[in-house]
Amino acid sequence: MSKAKPNTMKKRMMLIMKLLREQTDQEHPLDTYEILDYLESQGVSTNRKTLKSDLDLLVDCDIDIVTIHSKPNKYYWGERTFEIPELQLLIDAVLSSRFITKKKSKAMAKKLSGLASDSQKKELDRHMYATGRVKQANENIFYMVNDINSAISQRKKITFKYIEYTAEKKKVFRNDGEVYELSPYALYWNEDYYYVVGWSDKHDNVSVFRVDRMDDVEIGEETAMKRPADFSIDDYSNRVFEMFDGDSTTVKLECRNDLMKYIIDRFGMSVKTEIATEDTFYVWTDVALSPTFYAWVFRFGGDISIVEPKQATDEITEMAKGLIKKATAR
């Protein structure tokens, strides 16, 4: 008998917690008799006095069970890991992310909604819908992310192959299947894709690779190159992401006044600016001069122009001439 009572109490307490966590919230409390009926249905008999003692003990153990004093009293599970608006934001992000496959998106969204009560879960489920966005099909991405994280923690190099596509949309490996080697510094999420940033011995500099274009990722035995003390992932990302592959150069831009929101979106609030004319302002920022950067400037149809340096003005001019030549040749 001495062993049966503690076991019965443990089961009763676990059932009470499970019931309140899954089926109650502020809008859907359960009263004393509903809880007693549930326990009875689970093969556990008790009474109002014992139930109140159980609930008081749970509260003493910092379980946030809220009591509504009435006849009979009502109870519900109070604070949760995430509020419903927070869960909705997380679910929306998971469902809309290009990086996460459709199958994994649905599984993760289901797990997230499981953090809510049953009634709240129904509300979340009603708001789940397919976004129609292009999604990854490779389930191995999650394992690659895990391997890269492990390599970073263990300070080991990784090896991998890098994927390209032919004009026929056939997947091929870059450089005839060359095995790349990288000392990974960090994983970085940008524009709906995961990237790994690290030191490339081959290129003798910090390089970035998109994780979903990597294959055959393996953790090597060789110790990774030490991350430089002055390396900042934030500084690197501001300079390189969306402006890939090029030497870091300070550029001066002249922008139309109503484009300030795009400058802040791209370069942050701390970017250096100055009034130029009644209708324009100047921007000074460090970027990697590359076709991608020039393409970003072209997006604004002349409302953002490069003032300095001459190298940048010459290169974007030549790029524009090349585009015009190709268009007129057709």
Side-chain angles (χ1 to χ4, degrees):
M1 293 293 293
S2 60
K3 290 185 179 180
K5 287 183 179 179
N7 287 339
T8 300
M9 181 179 179
K10 288 178 183 177
K11 180 178 180 181
R12 189 173 67 241
M13 299 286 274
M14 293 299 294
L15 286 171
I16 292 170
M17 290 178 63
K18 181 176 186 294
L19 174 68
L20 295 178
R21 185 178 64 249
E22 293 181 356
Q23 297 188 25
T24 70
D25 54 59
Q26 188 172 1
E27 303 298 324
H28 304 86
L30 292 176
D31 66 36
T32 300
Y33 296 109
E34 289 172 318
I35 299 173
L36 290 173
D37 287 344
Y38 170 77
L39 292 173
E40 186 74 31
S41 72
Q42 300 300 310
V44 177
S45 296
T46 188
N47 55 54
R48 287 185 298 169
K49 184 176 180 181
T50 303
L51 175 60
K52 186 178 185 308
S53 296
D54 290 342
L55 291 165
D56 288 343
L57 178 58
L58 290 171
V59 172
D60 288 341
C61 292
D62 292 329
I63 304 299
D64 189 19
I65 295 173
V66 181
T67 302
I68 301 174
H69 296 284
S70 58
K71 293 185 179 181
N73 284 345
K74 296 180 180 180
Y75 305 91
Y76 66 90
W77 194 274
E79 185 178 1
R80 295 178 180 271
T81 304
F82 296 101
E83 300 295 331
I84 294 304
E86 294 173 327
L87 282 176
Q88 187 64 64
L89 284 172
L90 290 171
I91 289 170
D92 287 345
V94 165
L95 291 175
S96 63
S97 172
R98 293 182 184 217
F99 176 79
I100 306 172
T101 64
K102 287 184 179 180
K103 180 180 178 181
K104 182 63 74 172
S105 289
K106 290 180 180 178
M108 291 176 66
K110 186 175 181 180
K111 289 178 181 179
L112 286 168
S113 67
L115 297 173
S117 68
D118 286 352
S119 57
Q120 292 170 332
K121 193 185 302 181
K122 292 176 182 177
E123 187 67 21
L124 289 170
D125 288 344
R126 279 198 291 269
H127 285 90
M128 291 184 194
Y129 56 90
T131 62
R133 300 194 70 187
V134 174
K135 303 279 279 183
Q136 285 294 323
N138 186 2
E139 294 286 344
N140 290 329
I141 290 174
F142 285 84
Y143 300 106
M144 290 192 292
V145 168
N146 183 64
D147 286 343
I148 294 169
N149 265 322
S150 296
I152 293 171
S153 299
Q154 298 170 29
R155 297 182 179 178
K156 297 291 186 181
K157 290 185 178 182
I158 59 171
T159 59
F160 58 92
K161 295 179 181 179
Y162 209 57
I163 296 170
E164 299 281 5
Y165 288 90
T166 67
E168 295 78 29
K169 293 189 286 189
K170 180 182 177 182
K171 185 174 78 172
V172 296
F173 289 118
R174 180 186 287 182
N175 295 333
D176 296 322
E178 175 185 351
V179 176
Y180 288 77
E181 189 175 65
L182 189 76
S183 296
Y185 293 161
L187 281 162
Y188 192 91
W189 185 284
N190 183 72
E191 300 286 344
D192 249 358
Y193 292 107
Y194 241 146
Y195 298 84
V196 57
V197 179
W199 183 265
S200 169
D201 290 333
K202 177 182 177 181
H203 299 107
D204 196 31
N205 61 17
V206 176
S207 299
V208 58
F209 296 90
R210 227 172 79 180
V211 175
D212 60 293
R213 289 182 178 167
M214 298 167 68
D215 202 357
D216 295 337
V217 175
E218 293 185 6
I219 303 175
E221 294 295 328
E222 193 174 345
T223 301
M225 294 286 291
K226 189 176 180 180
R227 179 172 170 170
D230 60 350
F231 177 80
S232 166
I233 187 64
D234 289 333
D235 291 343
Y236 182 81
S237 63
N238 287 336
R239 178 176 62 83
V240 174
F241 282 102
E242 280 292 307
M243 316 287 181
F244 291 115
D245 298 333
D247 296 328
S248 179
T249 306
T250 299
V251 297
K252 179 181 179 181
L253 308 174
E254 185 171 2
C255 315
R256 202 177 66 199
N257 286 341
D258 61 347
L259 298 182
M260 179 61 82
K261 55 183 177 289
Y262 298 107
I263 296 300
I264 291 173
D265 284 347
R266 174 52 52 199
F267 304 111
M269 285 293 294
S270 61
V271 66
K272 181 182 177 182
T273 62
E274 180 183 291
I275 298 298
T277 69
E278 183 179 346
D279 302 313
T280 64
F281 63 92
Y282 291 131
V283 177
W284 288 264
T285 188
D286 291 339
V287 300
L289 296 182
S290 67
T292 312
F293 166 64
Y294 299 134
W296 178 81
V297 174
F298 279 134
R299 284 170 52 187
F300 298 95
D303 291 328
I304 292 181
S305 59
I306 301 173
V307 180
E308 298 174 351
K310 187 175 185 301
Q311 175 190 350
T313 59
D314 289 346
E315 288 178 353
I316 196 170
T317 300
E318 289 303 312
M319 188 174 176
K321 288 179 179 178
L323 291 172
I324 293 171
K325 183 177 181 181
K326 286 182 179 180
T328 55
R330 290 173 181 166

